[in-house]
Amino acid sequence: MLDIRFVRENADAVKAAMINRNAEVDVDALLALDSRRRAIVAEAEVLKAERNKISKSIGLMIKEGKDPESIKAEVREMGDKISAFDEDLRKIDAQLREGLLYIPNMPSATTPVGKDENDNPVIRFWGEKKTFDFEPAMHWDLGASLKLFDLERGAKIAGSGFPLFTGRGAKLERGLIQFMLDLHTEENGYTEIAPPFMCNDVAMTGTGQLPKFAEDMYAVPLDGLYPIPTAEVPVTNMYGNEILDQELPICLTAYTPCFRREAGSAGKDTRGLLRVHQFDKVEMVKFTTPETSAEEHEKLTLDAEKVLQKLGLHYRVIELCTGDLGFSAAKCYDIELWAPAQDKWLEVSSCSNFHDYQARRANIRYRNEDKKTTFVHTINGSGVALPRLVIAIMENNQNADGSIDLPEALWPYMGGLQKLA
RNA sequence: GGAGAGGUGUCUGAGUGGUUUAAAGAGCACGCUUGGAAAGCGUGUGUGCGCGAGAGUGUACCGGGGGUUCGAAUCCCCCCCUCUCCGCCA
């Protein structure tokens, strides 16, 4: 969330940023609450100071054998007033926090201003489009004929959007996960984390899923838990309410399944593995100082790209403009894979710098060079999400006979298997 | 799920209603001392919020939330977590 003091001192900039984001936020209402809050705090604290003084003198009187009854009544009255102030304050604090939790992050100064996804600039391409001397098949047809997954049976036991992988398809999932984790831990310098796959509402609020996006998540109300929509939630919040004494940056990677209700996208991309309710993903998360976060964000994006380069897949990197930027992000690159049968770019990674937005919500701090406690910057990105990666591998590497060549980097992870036939 | 024991600052650990403004020790920082170091001595050492240009000052915080009281780390209620034993279980 934003710092209320920042909002107070930069009200116009905040309002402008919200317009660029297409977000409707009543900044003035929040500032009115804030000034009421400070007025009440000031008044209440004067009373409290006085009460503390008199209470102390009552203690002394008792020790000296004097009768404090007359003063007690007076202080009791004071206490009632203080209680009333505290009650008001509790309400205002809650309203203020709630209001702040619904304000999206300020876009970075380097984030391009734009209205929607059509204004997202392409930053770079890698590789090139593959050409075929036959009509490339869709991944759902390839997957069915090669028996890599069985989406009907997945739908039978859980519902559509819950893929069920079989045989070599299941092994490919496992192999890809291990390939990516090995790459990030052995070459890119990340430490592997195996976190809980469910989180509570505090964690979900810390990274920004709650309170605004509750309907995007599955929930287990009986236990107050949510199956995670991304490893970002447990891995970022593992340092919640802490002052980190480790050297920054901290670079972590984690494999987790991800659960998303995809509310609001019903009927879109419903076929095959394009958009599913449960998928596997390897995530990278960094905790950095404000000074190095921009640089670490660029490096993390390159770390995600390395996965695709090793697999020999054509991709492009785009930068999200202010109108398309995610709620908590200040700056974000999307990496998109080319899928020839789909004839589309498929998003497989979203690499975001959140600045101190999540750190403030989750209360994650470190001591800077002056020993002053400071909010860290958090960065994360997919490295990468599996279903669309699998689609791209299948569609790009297919042969006329319906077989699929596996990228060489995967051979060791597939027990030497080089081709799905 | 049942029974019990715990949760105090960076750490160890005292504190069962009133100069607690949380003892003491360790650690850490700075200073003195020293050829240099250790030891010794001295000083300092939390977080949030309010006010203040600043020095500073007020307030809140002893797992979390409520309550009793003029006054709560301390008493009462609810919850969370850790440990031990029992039960159940991959």
Side-chain angles (χ1 to χ4, degrees), chain A residues 83-358:
Chain A
S83 297
F85 278 133
D86 281 347
E87 179 70 17
D88 273 1
L89 215 49
R90 238 198 311 272
K91 279 186 203 151
I92 291 175
D93 276 342
Q95 282 175 41
L96 203 55
R97 180 173 163 79
E98 183 78 358
L100 283 170
L101 287 178
Y102 276 93
I103 298 185
N105 198 1
M106 295 287 288
S108 155
T110 60
T111 292
V113 175
K115 203 161 153 271
D116 54 37
E117 66 209 22
N118 298 310
D119 294 332
N120 295 339
V122 177
I123 304 296
R124 58 182 168 266
F125 290 93
W126 189 89
E128 50 192 56
K129 283 186 190 173
K130 213 162 195 174
T131 53
F132 295 86
D133 51 13
F134 58 93
E135 187 65 28
M138 292 296 183
H139 74 273
W140 49 79
D141 292 329
L142 292 167
S145 62
L146 293 171
K147 293 189 166 39
L148 301 181
F149 44 75
D150 184 342
L151 301 183
E152 291 73 22
R153 289 199 167 98
K156 175 163 70 180
I157 55 177
S160 97
F162 288 91
L164 183 153
F165 294 91
T166 57
R168 293 163 304 172
K171 185 160 185 166
L172 179 60
E173 285 285 302
R174 179 159 57 91
L176 280 168
I177 291 164
Q178 192 151 350
F179 161 69
M180 291 189 278
L181 284 174
D182 283 351
L183 175 63
H184 295 318
T185 55
E186 290 164 16
E187 291 186 28
N188 295 339
Y190 293 78
T191 300
E192 186 173 348
I193 301 290
F197 295 162
M198 296 217 264
C199 283
N200 58 30
D201 58 344
V202 174
M204 289 297 176
T205 304
T207 27
Q209 282 73 25
L210 289 180
K212 198 173 175 193
F213 304 101
E215 74 261 22
D216 292 345
M217 296 192 294
Y218 290 97
V220 185
L222 189 62
D223 298 291
L225 292 170
Y226 301 83
I228 56 172
T230 160
E232 159 191 357
V233 178
V235 177
T236 304
N237 283 287
M238 63 186 269
Y239 290 122
N241 287 317
E242 291 190 35
I243 298 173
L244 303 175
D245 55 6
Q246 306 162 62
E247 201 178 319
L248 299 179
I250 298 171
C251 302
L252 306 175
T253 185
Y255 153 73
T256 69
C258 301
F259 303 91
R260 299 186 182 177
R261 292 187 64 234
E262 298 295 341
S265 57
K268 242 200 218 162
D269 302 331
T270 48
R271 294 216 51 186
L273 302 174
L274 279 172
R275 182 182 295 277
V276 286
H277 291 305
Q278 179 187 320
F279 61 93
D280 293 310
K281 177 160 67 69
V282 170
E283 183 78 3
M284 298 170 286
V285 177
K286 290 190 184 184
F287 302 82
T288 77
T289 64
E291 291 76 23
T292 60
S293 78
E295 181 192 335
E296 293 294 339
H297 180 213
E298 299 296 329
K299 276 161 76 180
L300 179 137
T301 306
L302 293 174
D303 291 336
E305 289 175 52
K306 209 166 177 188
V307 172
L308 310 179
Q309 289 171 10
K310 293 223 171 207
L311 295 174
L313 295 166
H314 176 43
Y315 68 82
R316 69 177 189 183
V317 179
I318 63 172
E319 176 162 16
L320 300 194
C321 69
T322 53
D324 201 26
L325 199 59
F327 182 81
S328 303
K331 184 180 183 70
C332 179
Y333 297 113
D334 275 3
I335 304 174
E336 300 181 327
L337 279 176
W338 178 250
Q342 295 290 322
D343 195 31
K344 272 200 296 213
W345 291 101
L346 301 181
E347 181 189 331
V348 284
S349 178
S350 208
C351 300
S352 306
N353 187 346
F354 302 92
H355 289 172
D356 62 2
Y357 186 86
Q358 292 183 325

